[in-house]
Structures are given as structure tokens and as C-alpha cells.
Amino acid sequence: MKNKTVIRVRRRSAGRTGWLRMIHPAWFATAGILLLAASAVLIFIFFKPGSTGFFTGREYRVNAADMYRQSKTRLKISIFPSENEEWSAGEAEYLAERMSEFRYISPLVASAEDAPPESDLTVYIGYSGTAGESYLEAYRRLGSDGIEIGYSENSDGKITGVNILAFSEKRAHEGTVRFADYFLSENRLKTVFSKFSLSESGGDTLESFETLPLSESGYRLAVFSHPDSGTYTLRALGAIADAVDPDAILFNGGLCVGSDRDSVSSAWMDISSAVTGKSPEWGVNPTVEDVSLGDAFELTHDVLRSVVSGNGKEGTAGLLPSFESRRSVGGIILIGSDGKPAGIVYVISGEAENDPDGVCEIINRVSGVLEKAAGAKVGGAAILPSVPEGFASYLSSDPAVSGGVPLYSNIVQYVTPAADKLLDAATGAGIGTVVVFGGFNNVGVIGYGNASVALCGSIGFSNPGIGGQFALNNSRRGGILLSFDGNGVLSPSLLLASDYGMNQKNAG
């Protein structure tokens, strides 16, 4: 029998020495490792203030205990809720209540209208002017569910302000709790590992909306439907673009021209050549009519994505809602000289018919963001993928309401019930003009409820006309011009080819 090593512990000597002998040797190694790790962290804290992995020595100055030890007086903390978010007042009260538990902190919930009180530290919850960027810029950068916590300092390097920037109550509360845990902690290790500053983006960032500066001369968007590559159509497009000089051209519906890839590609190359150089940008928006064509639309979509976008100005085939991404809603946000939104064009594609309620939610959310960014509702236009039923009934009830616009073709085939929801959402958001395609020869601007409805007709000469000789038959070819002035006020008007002599056989 092999001898076994037995460690005996006498009861009478089971003091400190005996207690240590009973500990497994591996525990000593573990304890040693932990002790070394803690020592390394402490050395890191105190002797590497310039490190970027954790908090620098400068960042420690925002800790309440450190500030108190340096000043030896009660700390005056002013907390400012955002003017833009109602929920921020509750978060400000929450933070003030947590800070008031410490005898050496004197918190005050301030108002943006008040003169900034004399404070050791100011804390801003939600968006504020101290962010160094506009509300819209911050929203687009972080998103609806993003959050950023940062600080500002004076010329001496002393931290004087903290910004808890968020656009939802949930994320703002997370940020408030995070800052409070850090600021109120006297334990340096806890302070380090709770991490005070962060920046996370998430949620909607308005990525389907392009922002453009609104110049003193304003912004003009020409809208045409049913283009083709016929000689007269291309001449008309070129003549109108030359005369009107729009900032952009949007082809809204009737995009399927040709039955095979070569013919579709050739047609859109010709259309591109007619407007490229005349207008800085052009784009396309598939309506319900396009989407309903199935394979033909898929072919056109593929050609526009891979062929046309590589010619002329890079990526212009996806000007507004990117044709490649097939977004149901996108558009242009015009930014005034004050950096605030001054106007918007919503471009709603035929894909919206699959989920009109979801698109309406997007319109409501975007309009809410713009209203907060501008301090007022932001007007503009909406390009709809079909004709609202209510509007069609309104037209048919009395021909006089057309405002002199003769209705030569059957508008009913372009009517869908989903368009009524989209129209209500747009007008509820402050949009004063909607543009629809409602028949080849129907061109005009008609008052309807709280909006003007612009029928953009057809620019393509190969589509049915009104009959008669060439000039008369093609007298209703045209589109709509959406003109924003330098203040963002929108005026829709007609673009008739006949006004430029382009309904004559010898045109061009």
C-alpha cells in the first residue's frame, strides 16, 4: 500500500496559520492574479491620463466627489431639459432627485428661457443648442434610437457641461442613469467601468431623404410621367429643360419603355441624354402602374440601376427614393440659410401600396422631426403613386371643379384607395401640394380640400393624344413644375410642350 500524504490540522493551533494551511494552493494563485490586475488598473488610472481606452485624468474632473474635494463648497448643478422633447422635463427632475441625495450637491432644474445660472456644472438632456450642430444634423447622425453623452470644457480644460443627447425617452433615460451612476460614484473602479461617455447610433436616420441647401433663388423640380425615346418627346424634354432650367427632373410613372434589355437600355440612354446637361440631376419614381407590370418593371428597374446610373452624373438614376433600394418613401429636404428645414418633397413609390399605413407612419415621423428642427410645420409637396378615390369622385361630380383642366382619358384606372390614406397623412403633415399621374392628357392644378392636386399628364408623344391634327393632338403633353422660393414657399405650375412650340411637326 502506497503511502499517502496527509495534512493534519490540530484544533488547538487552528489560528491564522492553521486557517491558511487549509486553503487550496490554487486559491493563492487566483488571489495573486486579481491583486495584480487591480494594481494594474490603479496604475492605469493614476499614471496614464492620456489613454483612450478608459477615462482620462481630465474626465475624472466631472466626478462629483473629485469636484467637491477640489472646491470644498456645495456643487451647483444646473439641469436643462430640451425645448424639443416633452419627456426631457421628467428626466431632468429624475436626475435632480438623484443628486439631491448627496449633501454637497445643490441641483437646479433650469429652463431654456431663463438666463443660465452660475453653476459648477450644467447638464443638458435631449437636444440643445450646445450640441454644436442643428437638430436635424444630430438626428440624421445618431438616428431616432441613438444616444450620445459627451462634455464641454473651458479654456482651462475644466469640464463645465455635459450633453445627454437622445431623441427617444427610453434612450435618454438610459443616458441619464449612466451619467448619474458615474458622476455620483466615489469608487474609482466603479467610475471607470461604468463609462461616462459614449456614442451609439440606431433607428431611423432619414437615410432615404437627401438634404439640399435652399439658395436665394429657391429650388425647382420638374415632374413628368410616361417618357419615351421618340424624337418629339426628346425634343420637348430638351426644350423645357433649357427654358425652365430646373434643379432636378423626376420621371413619375410610365417608366417601362421597351420589351427587352437592349430596347429598355437604349430608350433610357436617349432620355438621359435629353436631360443630362440641361438639369443637374434627374431621377425616377415607380408608380402603382409600373409595379403592376411585374417582369417588365423588374427589367426596367435592373437597367436603370446598372446601366443608366453609370452614365451622366454618377448615381442620378436614384435621385430621390433610390431606385436601387426600392424604398417606398424618400425625398428631398431643403435647408434654409438659417440651417433649418424650409421645405420638403416626399416621393412615394408604388411599393407604398403594399403598406400604406406604414408609409403614413413614416410621413408622420419625418414631419415631426422637421417640425422640431424648424420650430414650425414644414410645407412642401408629395408625389403620390396613384390617384385618391375621393379626389377622383370630386372631379367627376362636377366638371367645373377641374379649373379648366379638360379630362381626356379615363382617370379611374389610376385610382386606388391607399392613395387617400397617403393624401391625408401628407396634408396632415402640412403638405400643401400633391402630384399624381391621372391620365395621358390630364395636366393641371386643382384645389381639393387643404391641398392643390397637380395632374402631371404625359410627356411621351407616343401615348394617346386628344385627337385632331398633330398640334392639337399633342397640345396636352407636359408636366408640373414645383417651384420653391428662397423662403421655402411652394408654387406648382404647368409645363406644357405647346407653350414652347414643341407640339409642331417641325419642332427643333
Side-chain angles (χ1 to χ4, degrees), residues 208-251:
S208 62
F209 289 82
E210 183 179 3
T211 56
L212 296 175
L214 182 62
S215 66
E216 292 182 1
S217 60
Y219 181 84
R220 293 188 292 181
L221 174 66
V223 184
F224 299 104
S225 290
H226 281 264
D228 60 52
S229 58
T231 300
Y232 290 106
T233 300
L234 299 179
R235 286 175 176 174
L237 281 172
I240 294 174
D242 274 342
V244 176
D245 191 25
D247 293 281
I249 289 176
L250 175 67
F251 294 107

Coordinates of all heavy atoms in Angstrom, one line a residue, residues 208-251:
S208 N -33.2 57.8 -46.4 CA -33.8 57.8 -47.8 C -34.2 59.3 -48.2 O -34.8 59.5 -49.3 CB -35.1 57.0 -47.8 OG -36.1 57.5 -46.9
F209 N -33.8 60.2 -47.4 CA -34.0 61.6 -47.7 C -32.7 62.4 -47.9 O -31.8 62.3 -47.1 CB -34.8 62.3 -46.6 CG -36.2 61.9 -46.5 CD1 -36.6 60.7 -45.8 CD2 -37.3 62.6 -47.1 CE1 -37.9 60.3 -45.7 CE2 -38.6 62.2 -47.0 CZ -38.9 61.0 -46.3
E210 N -32.6 63.1 -49.0 CA -31.5 63.9 -49.4 C -31.7 65.3 -48.8 O -32.8 65.8 -49.0 CB -31.3 63.9 -50.9 CG -30.1 64.6 -51.4 CD -29.9 64.6 -52.9 OE1 -30.8 64.1 -53.5 OE2 -28.9 65.1 -53.4
T211 N -30.7 65.9 -48.2 CA -30.8 67.2 -47.8 C -30.0 68.1 -48.8 O -28.9 67.8 -49.1 CB -30.2 67.4 -46.4 OG1 -28.8 66.9 -46.3 CG2 -31.0 66.7 -45.4
L212 N -30.7 69.2 -49.2 CA -30.1 70.1 -50.1 C -30.2 71.6 -49.6 O -31.2 71.9 -49.0 CB -30.7 70.0 -51.5 CG -30.6 68.7 -52.3 CD1 -31.5 68.8 -53.5 CD2 -29.2 68.4 -52.6
P213 N -29.2 72.4 -49.8 CA -29.3 73.8 -49.4 C -30.3 74.6 -50.3 O -30.3 74.4 -51.5 CB -27.9 74.3 -49.6 CG -27.3 73.5 -50.6 CD -27.9 72.1 -50.4
L214 N -31.1 75.4 -49.7 CA -32.1 76.2 -50.4 C -31.4 77.6 -50.7 O -31.2 78.3 -49.8 CB -33.4 76.4 -49.6 CG -34.5 77.2 -50.3 CD1 -35.0 76.5 -51.6 CD2 -35.7 77.3 -49.3
S215 N -31.1 77.8 -51.9 CA -30.4 79.1 -52.3 C -31.4 80.2 -52.3 O -32.7 80.1 -52.2 CB -29.8 79.0 -53.7 OG -30.8 78.8 -54.7
E216 N -30.9 81.4 -52.5 CA -31.8 82.6 -52.5 C -32.8 82.5 -53.7 O -33.9 83.1 -53.6 CB -30.9 83.9 -52.6 CG -30.1 84.2 -51.4 CD -29.3 85.5 -51.5 OE1 -29.5 86.1 -52.6 OE2 -28.6 85.8 -50.6
S217 N -32.3 81.9 -54.8 CA -33.2 81.7 -55.9 C -34.2 80.6 -55.8 O -35.1 80.4 -56.6 CB -32.4 81.5 -57.2 OG -31.6 80.4 -57.1
G218 N -34.1 79.8 -54.7 CA -35.0 78.8 -54.5 C -34.6 77.4 -55.1 O -33.5 77.2 -55.3
Y219 N -35.6 76.6 -55.3 CA -35.4 75.2 -55.8 C -36.6 74.8 -56.7 O -37.7 75.1 -56.4 CB -35.2 74.2 -54.7 CG -35.0 72.8 -55.1 CD1 -33.7 72.4 -55.4 CD2 -36.0 71.9 -55.3 CE1 -33.4 71.1 -55.8 CE2 -35.7 70.6 -55.7 CZ -34.4 70.2 -56.0 OH -34.2 68.9 -56.4
R220 N -36.3 74.2 -57.9 CA -37.3 73.9 -58.8 C -37.2 72.4 -59.2 O -36.1 72.0 -59.7 CB -37.3 74.8 -60.0 CG -37.7 76.2 -59.6 CD -37.8 77.1 -60.8 NE -36.6 77.3 -61.5 CZ -36.5 78.1 -62.6 NH1 -37.5 78.6 -63.2 NH2 -35.3 78.2 -63.2
L221 N -38.3 71.7 -59.1 CA -38.3 70.3 -59.5 C -39.4 70.1 -60.6 O -40.6 70.4 -60.4 CB -38.7 69.4 -58.3 CG -38.9 67.9 -58.6 CD1 -37.6 67.3 -59.0 CD2 -39.4 67.2 -57.3
A222 N -39.0 69.6 -61.8 CA -39.9 69.3 -62.9 C -40.3 67.9 -62.8 O -39.5 67.0 -62.6 CB -39.3 69.6 -64.2
V223 N -41.7 67.6 -62.9 CA -42.2 66.2 -62.8 C -42.9 65.9 -64.1 O -43.8 66.6 -64.5 CB -43.2 66.1 -61.6 CG1 -43.6 64.7 -61.5 CG2 -42.5 66.6 -60.3
F224 N -42.4 64.8 -64.7 CA -43.0 64.3 -65.9 C -43.4 62.8 -65.7 O -42.8 62.1 -65.0 CB -42.1 64.4 -67.1 CG -41.6 65.8 -67.4 CD1 -40.4 66.2 -67.1 CD2 -42.5 66.7 -68.1 CE1 -39.9 67.5 -67.4 CE2 -42.0 67.9 -68.4 CZ -40.8 68.4 -68.0
S225 N -44.4 62.4 -66.5 CA -44.8 61.0 -66.5 C -44.8 60.4 -67.9 O -44.8 61.2 -68.9 CB -46.2 60.8 -65.9 OG -46.2 61.0 -64.5
H226 N -44.6 59.1 -68.0 CA -44.7 58.4 -69.3 C -43.7 59.0 -70.3 O -44.1 59.4 -71.4 CB -46.1 58.4 -69.8 CG -46.9 57.3 -69.2 ND1 -47.1 56.1 -69.7 CD2 -47.6 57.3 -68.0 CE1 -47.9 55.4 -68.9 NE2 -48.2 56.1 -67.8
P227 N -42.4 59.0 -70.0 CA -41.5 59.4 -71.1 C -41.3 58.3 -72.1 O -41.6 57.1 -71.8 CB -40.2 59.6 -70.3 CG -40.3 58.6 -69.2 CD -41.8 58.6 -68.8
D228 N -40.8 58.7 -73.3 CA -40.4 57.7 -74.2 C -39.2 58.2 -75.0 O -38.8 59.4 -74.8 CB -41.6 57.3 -75.2 CG -42.1 58.4 -76.0 OD1 -41.3 59.1 -76.6 OD2 -43.3 58.6 -76.0
S229 N -38.7 57.4 -75.9 CA -37.5 57.9 -76.6 C -37.8 58.3 -78.0 O -36.9 58.4 -78.9 CB -36.4 56.7 -76.7 OG -37.0 55.6 -77.3
G230 N -39.0 58.7 -78.3 CA -39.4 59.2 -79.6 C -38.8 60.6 -79.8 O -38.5 61.3 -78.9
T231 N -38.6 60.9 -81.1 CA -37.9 62.2 -81.4 C -38.6 63.4 -80.8 O -38.0 64.3 -80.2 CB -37.9 62.4 -83.0 OG1 -37.2 61.3 -83.5 CG2 -37.2 63.7 -83.4
Y232 N -40.0 63.5 -80.9 CA -40.7 64.6 -80.4 C -40.7 64.7 -78.9 O -40.6 65.8 -78.4 CB -42.2 64.6 -81.0 CG -42.3 64.8 -82.4 CD1 -42.5 63.8 -83.3 CD2 -42.1 66.1 -83.0 CE1 -42.6 64.0 -84.7 CE2 -42.1 66.4 -84.3 CZ -42.4 65.3 -85.2 OH -42.5 65.5 -86.6
T233 N -40.7 63.6 -78.3 CA -40.7 63.5 -76.8 C -39.3 64.1 -76.3 O -39.3 64.9 -75.4 CB -40.9 62.1 -76.3 OG1 -42.1 61.6 -76.7 CG2 -40.8 62.1 -74.8
L234 N -38.3 63.6 -76.9 CA -36.9 64.0 -76.5 C -36.7 65.5 -76.8 O -36.1 66.2 -76.0 CB -35.9 63.2 -77.2 CG -35.9 61.7 -76.9 CD1 -34.8 61.0 -77.7 CD2 -35.7 61.4 -75.5
R235 N -37.2 66.0 -77.9 CA -37.1 67.4 -78.2 C -37.9 68.3 -77.2 O -37.4 69.3 -76.8 CB -37.7 67.7 -79.6 CG -36.8 67.3 -80.8 CD -37.5 67.5 -82.1 NE -36.6 67.2 -83.2 CZ -37.0 67.2 -84.5 NH1 -38.2 67.5 -84.8 NH2 -36.1 66.9 -85.4
A236 N -39.1 67.8 -76.8 CA -39.9 68.5 -75.8 C -39.2 68.5 -74.5 O -39.1 69.6 -73.8 CB -41.3 67.9 -75.7
L237 N -38.6 67.4 -74.1 CA -37.9 67.4 -72.8 C -36.7 68.3 -72.8 O -36.5 69.1 -71.9 CB -37.4 65.9 -72.5 CG -38.4 65.0 -72.0 CD1 -37.8 63.5 -72.0 CD2 -38.9 65.3 -70.6
G238 N -35.9 68.3 -73.9 CA -34.8 69.2 -74.0 C -35.2 70.7 -74.0 O -34.5 71.5 -73.4
A239 N -36.3 71.0 -74.7 CA -36.7 72.4 -74.8 C -37.2 72.9 -73.5 O -36.9 74.0 -73.1 CB -37.8 72.5 -75.9
I240 N -38.0 72.1 -72.8 CA -38.5 72.5 -71.5 C -37.3 72.7 -70.5 O -37.3 73.6 -69.7 CB -39.5 71.5 -71.0 CG1 -40.8 71.6 -71.9 CG2 -39.9 71.9 -69.5 CD1 -41.8 70.5 -71.5
A241 N -36.4 71.7 -70.5 CA -35.3 71.8 -69.6 C -34.4 73.0 -69.8 O -33.9 73.6 -68.9 CB -34.4 70.5 -69.7
D242 N -34.2 73.3 -71.1 CA -33.5 74.5 -71.5 C -34.2 75.8 -71.0 O -33.5 76.7 -70.4 CB -33.3 74.6 -73.0 CG -32.1 73.8 -73.4 OD1 -31.2 73.5 -72.6 OD2 -32.0 73.5 -74.6
A243 N -35.5 75.9 -71.2 CA -36.2 77.1 -70.9 C -36.4 77.3 -69.4 O -36.3 78.4 -68.9 CB -37.5 77.1 -71.6
V244 N -36.7 76.2 -68.7 CA -37.1 76.3 -67.3 C -35.9 76.2 -66.4 O -35.9 76.8 -65.3 CB -38.1 75.2 -67.0 CG1 -38.5 75.2 -65.5 CG2 -39.4 75.4 -67.8
D245 N -34.9 75.4 -66.8 CA -33.7 75.2 -66.1 C -34.0 74.7 -64.6 O -33.6 75.4 -63.7 CB -32.8 76.5 -66.0 CG -31.4 76.3 -65.5 OD1 -31.0 75.1 -65.6 OD2 -30.8 77.2 -64.9
P246 N -34.7 73.6 -64.5 CA -35.0 73.1 -63.2 C -33.7 72.6 -62.5 O -32.8 72.2 -63.1 CB -36.0 72.0 -63.4 CG -35.6 71.5 -64.8 CD -35.2 72.7 -65.5
D247 N -33.8 72.5 -61.2 CA -32.7 71.9 -60.4 C -32.6 70.4 -60.6 O -31.6 69.8 -60.4 CB -32.8 72.3 -58.9 CG -32.6 73.8 -58.7 OD1 -31.4 74.3 -58.7 OD2 -33.6 74.5 -58.6
A248 N -33.8 69.8 -60.8 CA -33.9 68.4 -61.0 C -35.1 68.0 -61.7 O -36.1 68.8 -61.8 CB -33.9 67.7 -59.6
I249 N -35.1 66.9 -62.4 CA -36.2 66.3 -63.1 C -36.6 65.0 -62.5 O -35.7 64.1 -62.3 CB -35.9 66.2 -64.6 CG1 -35.9 67.6 -65.3 CG2 -37.0 65.4 -65.3 CD1 -35.5 67.6 -66.7
L250 N -37.9 64.8 -62.3 CA -38.3 63.5 -61.8 C -39.3 62.9 -62.7 O -40.3 63.5 -63.1 CB -39.0 63.6 -60.4 CG -39.6 62.4 -59.8 CD1 -38.5 61.4 -59.5 CD2 -40.4 62.7 -58.6
F251 N -39.0 61.6 -63.2 CA -40.0 60.9 -64.0 C -40.8 60.1 -63.1 O -40.3 59.1 -62.4 CB -39.2 60.1 -65.0 CG -38.5 60.9 -66.1 CD1 -37.1 60.9 -66.0 CD2 -39.2 61.6 -67.0 CE1 -36.4 61.7 -67.0 CE2 -38.5 62.3 -68.0 CZ -37.1 62.4 -67.9

